[in-house]
């Protein structure tokens, strides 16, 4: 007997490792930079370079990029930037180099303090989450053939399979023009690029990408005694990238992260430095799922020979829910006593998810939006200052019928950050948090693995009568009856006129044995 099988590919999470890296380093202020008087603002970003696995051992390589905005002795504002290398070994039990590794990272804590005017101490706690997914293959028998007559019973399976899984990068480049009422660019002191509201949608043979970059630049105006200037930009972007195996009907699960950004002054058409050449690189972990109904053979027998079946246990994934929701936040931020706001310069944010609980209703998500506000102060000796705030949030993402056996992936991103002055010593922070989750449930089932035909026990067959009168029992089907009495469903229908698709308990049937001895 020959069996034709349909291969179904699925993702199966093999390992999930969370590891923390502690950094404690000192860095000197370069000789070309003035002495430090006071730190105004600080930020740290992880730029991953490689995640490698070999023989259950993994390595995370990259760097922590840090930036410090400080008030210089004698007046003025300057910045200090640098990179700290990362080379962290991790243990990945049961993982090999064929598995797909996904890296997620969070700067849990960053503290940059002055040791003295020419040296800073950088302390940080970084959390890395490495998920290893293995590609699992199951085969469903869709056709069977043999020299002998065969009877097959089919069943419909709803299968969710992984159709596309890959990692890609998308580049956003934009030339931004300084407002006409501001002076030309001198020295670029501080730059920030944040990704907000990224969205990806599969098309036929392509992937549609859109989103927004929030860009902030602080610079020294060109000319003597020019004050520090700053400018904010909202940069929407949209485009497509080739993805040959994609179709519009596929279900997306795409994680988008900003992994690198750069900004450089550039001359405009008149030869003046009034442009900012901005570039951002987005990394996309792409998973596209496809749900389809597969008709497969679940049982086989032959009236000519004995069918020996081998069954096996298999697990298939199904998408339980794919949900997107938003949490709105609003909170007042009080300045330290004695400080006064003249102007809000800029606000930046980072979503930190602290806990995810699985309940009967769905996913209970707790965390905070960490916001940093840069403002112009009324203190002439310290005109630029910053304040940090944490806006806690709790949100229930509906996912009914979820349980501990389900796997899920959660993505979070801030949007519509807005900082408003309420008074000389108070500001209001408003923002939204976009939460997206895909939940997959596992369905265990018994499927047909293999089958072969062997000769019947002739003695057993001879002892069975050729014609049998049979009363249908509860739970009987035409298939079960035909298989038990060595006949066929079609043969039962021909012998018993008026039989419907289903038989009822108590019905009487005439059954004629159809073995090779009878046909001979």
């Amino acid at each position: 007997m020959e069996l034709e099988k349909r291969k179904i590919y699925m993702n199966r999470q093999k390992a999930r490792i969370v590891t923390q890296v502690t950094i404690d380093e000192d860095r000197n202020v370069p000789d070309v930079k003035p002495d430090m008087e006071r730190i105004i603002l600080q930020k740290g970003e992880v730029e991953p370079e490689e995640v490698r696995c070999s023989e259950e051992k993994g390595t995370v390589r990259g760097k922590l990029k840090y930036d410090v905005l400080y008030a210089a002795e004698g007046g003025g504002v300057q910045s200090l930037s640098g990179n700290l290398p990362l080379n962290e070994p991790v243990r990945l039990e049961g993982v090999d180099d064929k598995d797909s590794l996904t890296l997620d990272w969070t700067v849990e804590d960053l503290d940059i303090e002055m040791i003295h005017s020419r040296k800073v101490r950088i302390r940080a706690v970084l959390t890395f989450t490495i998920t290893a997914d293995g590609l699992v293959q199951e085969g469903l028998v869709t056709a069977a053939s043999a020299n002998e007559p065969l009877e097959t019973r089919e069943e419909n399976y709803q299968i969710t399979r992984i159709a596309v899984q890959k990692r890609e990068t998308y580049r956003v480049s934009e030339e931004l023009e300084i407002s006409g009422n501001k002076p030309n660019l001198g020295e670029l002191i501080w730059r920030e690029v944040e990704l907000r509201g990224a969205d990806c949608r599969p098309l036929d043979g392509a992937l549609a990408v859109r989103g927004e970059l929030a860009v902030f630049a602080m610079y020294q105006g060109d000319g003597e005694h020019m004050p520090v200037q700053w400018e904010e930009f909202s940069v929407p972007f949209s485009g497509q990238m080739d993805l040959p195996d994609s179709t519009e009907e596929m279900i997306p699960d795409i994680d988008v992260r900003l992994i690198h950004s750069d900004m450089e002054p550039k001359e405009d058409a008149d030869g003046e430095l009034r442009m900012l050449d901005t570039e951002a690189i987005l990394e996309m972990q792409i998973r596209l799922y496809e749900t389809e109904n597969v008709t497969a053979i679940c049982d086989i027998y032959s009236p000519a020979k004995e069918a020996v079946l081998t069954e096996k246990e298999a697990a298939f994934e199904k998408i339980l829910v794919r949900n997107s929701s938003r949490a709105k936040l609003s909170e007042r931020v009080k300045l330290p006593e004695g400080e006064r706001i003249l102007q809000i310069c800029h606000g930046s944010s980072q979503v930190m998810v602290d806990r995810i609980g699985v309940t009967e209703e769905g996913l209970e998500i707790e965390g905070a939006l960490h916001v940093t506000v840069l403002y112009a102060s009324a203190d002439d000796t310290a005109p630029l200052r910053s304040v940090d705030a944490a806006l806690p949030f709790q949100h229930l993402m509906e996912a009914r019928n979820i349980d501990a056996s389900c796997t899920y992936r959660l993505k979070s991103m801030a949007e519509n950050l807005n900082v408003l002055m309420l008074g000389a010593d108070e500001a209001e922070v408003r923002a939204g948090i976009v939460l997206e989750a895909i939940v997959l449930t596992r369905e265990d089932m018994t499927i047909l693995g293999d089958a072969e035909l062997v000769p019947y026990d002739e003695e057993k067959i001879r002892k069975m009568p050729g014609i049998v009168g049979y009363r249908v029992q509860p739970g009987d089907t035409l298939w079960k009856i035909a298989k038990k009495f060595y006949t066929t469903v079609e043969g039962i229908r021909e012998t018993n006129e008026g039989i419907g698709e289903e038989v009822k308990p108590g019905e009487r049937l005439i059954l004629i044995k159809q073995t090779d001895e009878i046909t001979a």
Side-chain angles (χ1 to χ4, degrees), residues 268-279:
D268 61 10
D270 298 327
E272 296 182 329
L273 280 176
R274 300 196 60 80
M275 308 292 291
L276 289 169
D277 192 5
T278 305
E279 181 182 69

Side-chain angles (χ1 to χ4, degrees), residues 44-46 64 105-110 124-127 350 352:
E45 298 171 345
V46 174
L64 173 65
W105 62 89
T106 305
V107 182
E108 294 282 353
D109 188 26
L110 176 68
V125 178
L126 314 178
T127 299
Q350 180 185 12
M352 304 282 284

Side-chain angles (χ1 to χ4, degrees), residues 88-287:
E88 184 68 16
V90 290
R91 178 73 175 169
L92 299 172
E93 292 185 7
V95 180
D96 56 45
D97 54 3
K98 296 179 181 179
D99 296 327
S100 173
L101 299 180
T102 303
L103 176 66
D104 194 12
W105 62 89
T106 305
V107 182
E108 294 282 353
D109 188 26
L110 176 68
D111 182 28
I112 303 177
E113 61 178 359
M114 286 178 53
I115 298 175
H116 52 71
S117 63
R118 303 301 300 175
K119 181 177 285 190
V120 295
R121 184 179 186 183
I122 303 166
R123 288 179 289 189
V125 178
L126 314 178
T127 299
F128 292 99
T129 303
I130 303 171
T131 305
D133 292 322
L135 202 60
V136 178
Q137 173 187 306
E138 289 287 2
L140 289 175
V141 177
T142 55
S145 60
N147 295 326
E148 295 79 4
L150 290 179
E151 295 293 315
T152 60
R153 184 166 65 89
E154 297 178 335
E155 192 169 323
N156 287 325
Y157 299 91
Q158 189 181 60
I159 303 297
T160 298
R161 67 181 186 90
I162 186 80
V164 179
Q165 178 172 269
K166 63 190 309 184
R167 184 182 288 110
E168 292 284 354
T169 56
Y170 185 81
R171 190 181 302 269
V172 180
S173 297
E174 194 74 29
E175 292 183 352
L176 307 175
E177 186 174 6
I178 298 297
S179 301
N181 61 344
K182 292 185 179 291
N184 291 351
L185 287 158
E187 181 188 1
L188 189 58
I189 299 173
W190 187 262
R191 68 202 79 183
E192 282 188 21
V193 179
E194 283 189 32
L195 175 64
R196 293 180 184 166
D199 179 59
C200 298
R201 183 167 51 90
L203 304 173
D204 292 336
L207 188 71
V209 183
R210 66 178 182 180
E212 180 184 84
L213 296 177
V215 179
F216 174 73
M218 179 182 291
Y219 68 95
Q220 187 73 48
D222 187 22
E224 294 184 6
H225 309 298
M226 290 296 294
V228 172
Q229 305 288 328
W230 54 83
E231 188 102 38
E232 288 189 293
F233 303 91
S234 178
V235 183
F237 62 87
S238 62
Q240 292 185 12
M241 57 184 295
D242 291 337
L243 201 59
D245 297 328
S246 168
T247 65
E248 192 170 351
E249 293 77 23
M250 289 180 179
I251 303 167
D253 176 24
I254 303 172
D255 191 17
V256 185
R257 298 201 68 155
L258 176 66
I259 61 171
H260 178 75
S261 63
D262 199 10
M263 189 186 304
E264 294 294 337
K266 185 178 180 180
E267 293 182 351
D268 61 10
D270 298 327
E272 296 182 329
L273 280 176
R274 300 196 60 80
M275 308 292 291
L276 289 169
D277 192 5
T278 305
E279 181 182 69
I281 299 177
L282 311 181
E283 182 185 73
M284 293 181 288
Q285 180 66 41
I286 302 170
R287 297 182 185 90

Side-chain angles (χ1 to χ4, degrees), residues 406-422:
C406 295
T407 59
Y408 60 86
R409 282 185 289 274
L410 177 71
K411 295 175 286 186
S412 59
M413 183 176 294
E415 67 172 5
N416 301 328
L417 178 65
N418 195 10
V419 184
L420 304 173
M421 282 183 59
L422 297 180

